[in-house]
């Protein structure tokens, strides 16, 4: 998805699926923002010096202080219970705010 900002530079926004290799804190945020130079929408921390700009379609969905809403969602999680060893799996649909952003960007 692309959109023109006030500096007339194209901002890109993509919906991606990633699979973390470890459970390390901030692994996806850090890899996307620092290694791939593709920070998450709403992430004020891992930006490699890029200014925090808000895609216009996301602005109404980012309520509160910067960084209070990150467009990062765990759609599925699988693990073994630490005591019983039972295989557990959980899934969750895309949040309404995410669906709203994707719909707004597709209309552009």
């Amino acid at each position: 998805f692309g959109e023109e900002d006030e500096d007339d530079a194209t901002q890109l926004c993509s919906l991606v699926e990633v699979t973390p290799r470890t459970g390390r804190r901030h692994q996806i945020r850090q890899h996307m923002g620092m290694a791939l130079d593709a920070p998450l929408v709403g992430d004020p921390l891992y930006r490699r010096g890029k200014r925090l700009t808000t895609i216009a379609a996301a602005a109404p969905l980012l309520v509160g202080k910067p960084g209070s809403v990150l467009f990062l969602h765990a759609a599925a999680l699988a693990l073994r219970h630490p005591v019983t060893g039972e295989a557990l799996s959980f899934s969750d649909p895309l949040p309404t705010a995410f669906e709203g952003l994707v719909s707004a960007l597709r209309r552009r």
Side-chain angles (χ1 to χ4, degrees), residues 23-95:
R24 297 178 98 169
R25 184 177 180 185
H26 296 198
Q27 177 187 9
I28 295 169
R29 290 173 64 194
Q30 188 174 32
H31 187 75
M32 293 295 295
M34 303 300 280
L36 298 178
D37 198 23
L40 301 178
V41 173
D43 191 350
L45 185 58
Y46 297 105
R47 307 199 66 76
R48 280 187 65 190
K50 288 185 174 181
R51 65 187 173 106
L52 181 59
T53 57
T54 300
I55 306 282
L61 307 171
L62 296 172
V63 181
K65 63 181 181 174
S68 65
V69 177
L70 294 177
F71 280 79
L72 176 64
H73 172 67
L77 177 66
L79 60 113
R80 292 220 172 262
H81 190 281
V83 175
T84 66
E86 177 187 3
L88 302 171
S89 62
F90 307 91
S91 63
D92 194 39
L94 202 60

